[in-house]
Each structure stands twice: as C-alpha cells, then as structure tokens.
Amino acid sequence: MPATQRPSTRSASAAGAHSSESTPSSGNHEPRPESEVNATIPFGPSLPFLPNAGIMGPIPEDFDFERHIAVPEGKTQLGLPLGTRIRRNVEIERFNEESIASTIDAMTMPVPRLPDVDIGPPLKTPYFYTEDEIEELVGSQALCDSLGPLAPSMIRQIAASRDKRKRDADLARQADKEADSSLRNKLLGTMEMQNPIRRVFGEAKEIVIPTIYLLNIRNRLIPPLHFFTNQCIE
C-alpha cells in the first residue's frame, strides 16, 4: 500500500508570514502633527534682521560703511525763517553725529561681528543757508547771539571766515605800508643834497629861510617835497 503524503506545515507558515508582511494592517494611520515633524528637523539659531543696515546680521566684512557716514547735501527751503533753520540744524547735526558714531563703532568691531550689531540710523538732511545769510552771521556777533545757539559746524565756519577776513586785512595793511615806504624812499632819493655843508657844533651860522618859503607856509601853501631839491632851490 503506498505511503500517504503529508502536507508541509513549514511552507504554510512561510506563506502566512509573507502574507502578513505584504498586507498592511487594518489599524489607524492618521498623519503626524506638523509640530512633531518640525521638532525632528534640526534648525540652526535664527539670525536677526538689522533695520539700519537693511541686511541680516552679522554685518559682512565688505559692507559699505562710507555710504552711511556721508552727510547728505543741504536742502533748500528758503521759505523757513533763518532762525527756524538754525534751530532745526542744531537737532539734525546732533542726531547725525550720534548715528555716525554708532556706524563707526560697528565698522571698527573685529570680524566676524556680533549678529545683533547694527549701524546708526539713516542720516538726516540739514537745511541750506545762502551766502548772504552766512555773510550776515560772519559780520555780526550780535545776530549770532540772537539766533543762537548755532550748530558746532556753523560756529567753526563762522570762526574760519572771520579769521580769513582778519588775515586779509592784515595783509592789505602790510602791503600799504610797504608801498608807502617804497614811495618815501624814492622821494628821499630825489632830495639828496649835492656838496652839503658840514656844520660843527658851536660854530653853526644862522640859517636863513627864504621869505617866499615863509609866506607859502604861513598861507598854508605847502610846496611839494621835490621843491626842496637842489635844482629848485637854485
């Protein structure tokens, strides 16, 4: 009687295992919350935005600092009174000096700079003065006192202009003195006497002044200097 073949239990178990791996489970598969997903992604520290520099910190080594410390050209608003422009320029100059100081501090900081170090805020535009207004301030200290206090840059400009005026006036006076001295030397040269008389103390004779000279002097008819030369006297 032939032997009966028994079914293989190992093949059935392997098939069952393969079936369980390839067939998905019927359990709940809801997506993970976004916070949990982001928590698993590594992020570096956030860099601050520098509003004055207009970039993300830190400030790079090749940043153009010079552009942020150049004071803008003065704006012309001649409708505003001179005193109002002077007072506003005092505030503008103080603001710009503080901003430039902050920018220079950031510029001189060693590289790499701290991420939160910013430059100074944008500089403000000062008000313009006409040449006539400046001349009035230079020529009148009383006007400066009445409209003051003045901005430091304006005080330096007025002081420099006054010093220049004084130097120019001194040079003009010196030139006039030299011109007078040169003319006097020329006139003295024309009055040099020929064969002058040597006079000895105690033996001097009486000097006779011609009557015509005395009459001219008495009537305030002063003769020119060259009138006393030898040629005229003879």
Side-chain angles (χ1 to χ4, degrees):
M1 181 175 181
T4 306
Q5 186 177 6
R6 298 177 59 187
S8 176
T9 56
R10 182 178 179 181
S11 299
S13 338
H18 177 73
S19 174
S20 63
E21 291 179 1
S22 59
T23 305
S25 173
S26 60
N28 187 11
H29 286 277
E30 295 181 358
R32 298 172 61 186
E34 184 177 357
S35 59
E36 295 182 6
V37 176
N38 293 337
T40 60
I41 301 177
F43 281 99
S46 59
L47 297 177
F49 178 76
L50 308 178
N52 297 332
I55 58 174
M56 303 295 294
I59 300 177
E61 185 176 0
D62 59 349
F63 185 79
D64 186 8
F65 288 96
E66 298 295 333
R67 183 169 62 89
H68 296 273
I69 61 177
V71 179
E73 293 287 341
K75 55 185 175 182
T76 304
Q77 287 191 359
L78 300 181
L80 290 176
L82 177 60
T84 302
R85 280 177 280 147
I86 288 177
R87 288 192 297 272
R88 291 186 180 180
N89 277 344
V90 172
E91 300 174 358
I92 290 173
E93 185 164 325
R94 184 183 300 113
F95 175 87
N96 288 346
E97 287 180 352
E98 295 177 356
S99 174
I100 291 174
S102 300
T103 302
I104 293 178
D105 289 342
M107 179 175 61
T108 56
M109 180 175 291
V111 179
R113 300 178 176 89
L114 297 177
D116 58 345
V117 173
D118 199 359
I119 63 174
L123 301 182
K124 296 182 179 181
T125 304
Y127 290 90
F128 180 77
Y129 302 117
T130 64
E131 293 184 1
D132 293 340
E133 290 171 340
I134 294 177
E135 288 297 324
E136 291 179 2
L137 293 171
V138 171
S140 174
Q141 182 60 41
L143 180 62
C144 295
D145 295 339
S146 64
L147 297 176
L150 305 177
S153 61
M154 192 64 182
I155 295 176
R156 291 192 295 269
Q157 181 180 356
I158 291 175
S161 298
R162 289 175 178 173
D163 290 342
K164 184 178 182 303
R165 283 187 176 184
K166 185 178 181 301
R167 288 194 303 269
D168 293 344
D170 292 342
L171 290 175
R173 283 193 297 268
Q174 184 65 26
D176 292 341
K177 289 181 180 179
E178 292 177 357
D180 293 343
S181 176
S182 176
L183 180 60
R184 187 179 302 110
N185 292 336
K186 291 180 180 179
L187 291 175
L188 290 175
T190 61
M191 292 188 294
E192 184 179 359
M193 294 184 63
Q194 299 175 0
N195 301 322
I197 300 174
R198 186 179 299 274
R199 301 187 181 276
V200 181
F201 181 74
E203 298 181 359
K205 298 180 180 179
E206 182 180 358
I207 299 176
V208 179
I209 301 176
T211 305
I212 187 173
Y213 292 171
L214 297 176
L215 292 175
N216 287 336
I217 295 173
R218 182 179 181 83
N219 292 283
R220 298 182 179 181
L221 299 175
I222 309 301
L225 292 178
H226 63 79
F227 183 79
F228 296 93
T229 57
N230 291 337
Q231 291 81 358
C232 293
I233 293 176
E234 293 175 356

